[in-house]
Amino acid sequence: MCGIVGIVSNKSVSASIISALKKLEYRGYDSAGISTLINGQIKEQKCSGRVDNLEKILFQNPSSGDLGIGHVRWATHGVPNQVNAHPHSSEAVSVVHNGIIENSDTLRNEYKDKGYSFKSQTDTEVITIMLTDFLKQNDLINCIHKTLKKLEGSFALGIIFKDYNNLVVGARRGSPLAVGYGHNENFIGSDSYALKSMTNKISYLDDGNFCILYKEKVEFYNSDKKKINKEIFELSYEDNTAEKGDYRDFMSKEINEQSYTTKKCINEYLNTSKNEINILNLPLEAKKIRKIRLIGCGTAYHSCLMAKYWIEEFTSLDVDADIASEFRYRRIKLDPNDLYIFVSQSGETADTLAALEKCKKNNLKTCGIVNVLESSIARNSDLVLPIHAGPEIGVASTKAFIGQLTVLYLLTLKIAIDRKDISSEEYSKLILDLRNIPDLIEETLNKQKDIQEIARDFIKAKGTMYLGRGLSFPIAMEGALKLKELSYIHAEGYAAGEMKHGPLALIEDGMPVIVLAPKDRFYEKTISNMQEVIARGGKVLMITDDTSETMSENIRFKFQIPKTNSSINSFLLTIPIQFLAYHVALLKNCDIDKPRNLAKSVTVE
Ligand code: AGP
């Protein structure tokens, strides 16, 4: 949701802070700011808009100093303007924050009654005021401890103090915070990705922890202000190529990486000589699983929905897919014989993490399918299944989605064969078909120009619908989300069979409609639904592997995907719906990698 960074060093820190903020901009880009300590004074500089705007300000008016904090914001409380930008400073303290303080109104009134005044509309400013007040009667540790105890809600904090010219403080509850170790300098950051250019030695704060960074050491404390030790992880630099290269934007790069992503993921999990899937030590023995529950948000939820169809298709198990923000509050019957699978690219999505914590509190068996190995969801799951997609920077998830589908499909087949729900012959055929998918994705990626042509139909559209049945339905949902979040055009993903129960009323002459119609067992019924749309003036983009001239005179456009096993058409259907959203957004001059109002990792509920 927001990105924070803090550095204490033996040299000027502002350039390193700006560089780290640029890596964190995918988390939020409404406003940016920095505070450093210079000659015993806090110097705060901040602005609305991107980090580039802040950099221009610093060019005119440099912020020197060998310790400081920085922030990029995704607004939760208060409009994205200069006053509400972080850091929030008093004369004694400066604070950057990621999260939501749920008792900020109460605290604001309490401290107003004490005579303090507030400059911003943010929840964060109450932290600044509280620290300032506690500093008057407490040493540093007690000031921090007392402040954190009064806060309700979630936070990752970076703090500097006027009277402590050799340290930076970090604290965490609910929102991630990493600590990086340098040579004569140390760092805090919202995630390790922001620190990777400065160090590969990382520790992680857990909820309730706070830390004090000096340039020569880091001290960690628990919620009882007792000193604790933290494990130091050495991060791999696998796929650290989070640069655009010669692509126009990260999204086009990440779409085009998907053949490699699936190939890499399959290779990571498949022992090709034995044709075995290396998903070992499931937290529940496959034969003993009563039910599988899949939980995620947004695109990750759509991969959960896809897996639900696969698990129903290949196993005898009962299965549910839930949106995390619903699951976490539902009064469902949690069962120790159920396997709870949490899907999340970032591994930090607040609702998904909360849903995981709900299961852990009930001692249930959990599995995390993530792209960030050192994320909170990874570290709190009984079993972690990485998707190995490498850093995904574009806010709209593409290669992570395909990576999630790959791991979920492999997991389904592993459970199915272990439970003897499928024969070894069927298993071998399914694996063989999956191994062909990377090449078929590559073939589909090479047809990008076909989609570019039809994108124009959409730029003036009031809205559109994506229709699919069965295994195509989750991809219809994903296609609609992609178009919404990239081009800001309203789009609905719908079960094609549902159209006649109301949504058909939306169809009017010239309205673009995308119909996902691979030649699977739902094909004929989907074609009937498509005809209902055409009869009412809908202009259909049909995405299919059918090579016949079905309806070709009545449809606006047909995009041909290669033929494959009907259970994995979804991998190929995904490519044109990603390209469609991309090219419509391009034609509308939308910001491809940083769509308005969004952030890459939603770490608040
Ligand atoms: C995907 O295109 C969206 N940006 C969004 O729905 C995302 O999938 C969702 O916020 C979940 O994120 P996660 O996978 O990091 O948990």
Side-chain angles (χ1 to χ4, degrees), residues 383-432:
L383 172 67
V384 183
L385 297 177
I387 64 171
H388 300 292
E392 182 179 71
I393 308 304
V395 166
S397 191
T398 50
K399 65 174 184 175
F401 180 59
I402 281 289
Q404 290 161 1
L405 293 186
T406 307
V407 173
L408 284 161
Y409 191 68
L410 286 162
L411 178 61
T412 300
L413 298 186
K414 170 69 178 170
I415 291 172
I417 192 68
D418 285 358
R419 290 171 56 90
K420 299 189 178 9
D421 286 335
I422 56 175
S423 68
S424 50
E425 295 71 24
E426 191 181 3
Y427 168 83
S428 300
K429 173 74 172 65
L430 292 168
I431 290 290
L432 189 64

Side-chain angles (χ1 to χ4, degrees), residues 5 7 25 48 50 61 66 82 136 152 174 176 191 197 199 223 269 350 364 396 436 448 458 474 479 512 515 527 572:
V5 63
I7 304 177
E25 257 196 320
S48 59
R50 300 289 168 85
N61 177 6
D66 57 8
Q82 195 269 350
K136 292 172 183 168
E152 292 170 18
D191 56 31
S197 57
T199 179
S223 53
Y269 283 97
L364 300 167
N436 290 329
Q448 174 174 193
F458 289 77
V515 178
I527 294 300
L572 305 180

Side-chain angles (χ1 to χ4, degrees), residues 334-513:
L334 298 171
D335 190 303
N337 296 314
D338 292 357
L339 177 60
Y340 296 81
I341 299 173
F342 299 88
V343 182
S344 173
Q345 189 283 134
S346 62
E348 299 296 351
T349 298
D351 287 317
T352 313
L353 187 54
L356 170 60
E357 283 160 356
K358 170 178 178 168
C359 292
K360 280 178 67 71
K361 233 183 337 215
N362 289 282
N363 300 315
L364 300 167
K365 298 301 182 191
T366 60
C367 169
I369 295 179
V370 300
N371 193 31
V372 182
L373 262 182
E374 58 268 0
S375 63
S376 303
I377 289 174
R379 287 185 286 120
N380 286 286
S381 297
D382 296 318
L383 172 67
V384 183
L385 297 177
I387 64 171
H388 300 292
E392 182 179 71
I393 308 304
V395 166
S397 191
T398 50
K399 65 174 184 175
F401 180 59
I402 281 289
Q404 290 161 1
L405 293 186
T406 307
V407 173
L408 284 161
Y409 191 68
L410 286 162
L411 178 61
T412 300
L413 298 186
K414 170 69 178 170
I415 291 172
I417 192 68
D418 285 358
R419 290 171 56 90
K420 299 189 178 9
D421 286 335
I422 56 175
S423 68
S424 50
E425 295 71 24
E426 191 181 3
Y427 168 83
S428 300
K429 173 74 172 65
L430 292 168
I431 290 290
L432 189 64
D433 292 338
L434 179 65
R435 291 180 66 187
N436 290 329
I437 279 294
D439 291 344
L440 297 179
I441 287 178
E442 192 61 33
E443 185 183 330
T444 312
L445 286 169
N446 294 336
K447 298 178 68 178
Q448 174 174 193
K449 289 221 175 313
D450 294 359
I451 282 290
Q452 229 166 326
E453 287 169 39
I454 190 160
R456 288 195 180 289
D457 277 25
F458 289 77
I459 48 177
K460 294 270 185 292
K462 275 192 317 189
T464 183
M465 301 196 79
Y466 288 70
L467 306 180
R469 278 178 178 262
L471 291 154
S472 301
F473 170 54
I475 308 305
M477 297 290 284
E478 173 61 10
L481 174 61
K482 284 283 151 311
L483 190 71
K484 277 184 280 212
E485 65 177 332
L486 284 160
S487 70
Y488 318 145
I489 293 171
H490 182 71
E492 283 201 71
Y494 238 92
E498 268 295 282
M499 282 301 284
K500 51 188 166 302
H501 300 288
L504 202 58
L506 288 173
I507 305 300
E508 53 192 36
D509 193 41
M511 178 178 178
V513 176

Side-chain angles (χ1 to χ4, degrees), residues 52 103 116 129 154 193 222 235 285-286 298 346 361 402 470 496 514 567 595:
D52 289 346
N103 60 336
Y116 287 94
I129 299 298
S154 63
Y193 172 62
N222 66 13
L235 292 186
E285 195 189 329
S346 62
K361 233 183 337 215
I402 281 289
I514 296 92
S567 63

Side-chain angles (χ1 to χ4, degrees), residues 84-354:
N84 290 329
H86 299 209
H88 290 284
S89 309
S90 66
E91 196 206 334
V93 175
S94 190
V95 178
V96 288
H97 167 223
N98 174 28
I100 291 182
I101 303 305
E102 294 176 355
N103 60 336
S104 61
D105 291 344
T106 310
L107 294 169
R108 184 178 273 261
N109 294 331
E110 180 186 335
Y111 282 88
K112 275 182 179 169
D113 293 347
K114 283 187 166 185
Y116 287 94
S117 58
F118 288 80
K119 295 174 274 191
S120 78
Q121 305 159 293
T122 67
D123 54 340
T124 305
E125 198 177 356
V126 296
I127 303 170
T128 304
I129 299 298
M130 278 170 41
L131 287 165
T132 304
D133 190 54
F134 278 126
L135 263 182
K136 292 172 183 168
Q137 299 93 20
N138 294 277
D139 64 20
L140 181 69
I141 301 274
N142 282 303
C143 164
I144 298 164
H145 181 245
K146 288 180 177 177
T147 300
L148 300 184
K149 274 182 72 176
K150 281 193 82 165
L151 295 175
E152 292 170 18
S154 63
F155 54 79
L157 301 177
I159 311 165
I160 61 174
F161 299 84
K162 170 177 175 292
D163 295 337
Y164 293 87
N165 65 359
N166 63 338
L167 58 87
V168 170
V169 168
R172 179 216 157 128
R173 186 197 300 160
S175 295
L177 194 66
V179 170
Y181 303 89
H183 180 64
N184 282 329
E185 58 183 359
N186 289 306
F187 319 96
I188 51 171
S190 295
D191 56 31
S192 59
Y193 172 62
L195 305 179
K196 263 185 178 175
S197 57
M198 300 182 280
T199 179
N200 69 339
K201 291 181 177 56
I202 300 283
S203 292
Y204 297 94
L205 270 69
D206 291 309
D207 281 357
N209 295 173
F210 65 90
C211 62
I212 302 179
L213 274 66
Y214 303 89
K215 59 176 182 260
E216 70 282 353
K217 65 175 177 176
V218 181
E219 292 172 353
F220 294 96
Y221 296 83
N222 66 13
S223 53
D224 299 326
K225 58 184 180 177
K226 295 274 181 295
K227 265 194 184 180
I228 54 176
N229 294 316
K230 278 288 172 186
E231 186 181 355
I232 298 178
F233 297 90
E234 193 138 333
L235 292 186
S236 69
Y237 277 96
E238 159 191 85
D239 295 320
N240 187 29
T241 51
E243 303 306 333
K244 278 187 290 201
D246 52 10
Y247 283 96
R248 175 191 177 281
D249 40 54
F250 277 108
M251 186 177 176
S252 52
K253 171 175 177 280
E254 290 156 5
I255 289 177
N256 284 289
E257 277 178 355
Q258 292 179 116
S259 172
Y260 169 72
T261 302
T262 42
K263 186 176 291 181
K264 187 166 184 295
C265 202
I266 293 166
N267 291 343
E268 287 284 345
Y269 283 97
L270 190 62
N271 177 332
T272 44
S273 56
K274 297 180 184 164
N275 216 26
E276 286 173 1
I277 297 168
N278 295 327
I279 295 179
L280 312 170
N281 49 32
L282 269 178
L284 278 175
E285 195 189 329
K287 297 185 185 72
K288 293 185 177 149
I289 299 172
R290 182 189 76 98
K291 175 171 185 169
I292 290 181
R293 286 184 182 276
L294 299 128
I295 298 110
C297 297
T299 288
Y301 167 66
H302 296 151
S303 52
C304 291
L305 206 49
M306 191 73 248
K308 170 183 158 69
Y309 281 88
W310 282 331
I311 292 166
E312 287 171 345
E313 187 92 9
F314 297 116
T315 80
S316 54
L317 282 167
D318 190 8
V319 54
D320 248 346
D322 263 295
I323 291 169
S325 55
E326 290 296 308
F327 176 86
R328 65 183 289 191
Y329 296 112
R330 281 174 56 195
R331 291 199 173 83
I332 49 178
K333 315 297 167 284
L334 298 171
D335 190 303
N337 296 314
D338 292 357
L339 177 60
Y340 296 81
I341 299 173
F342 299 88
V343 182
S344 173
Q345 189 283 134
S346 62
E348 299 296 351
T349 298
D351 287 317
T352 313
L353 187 54

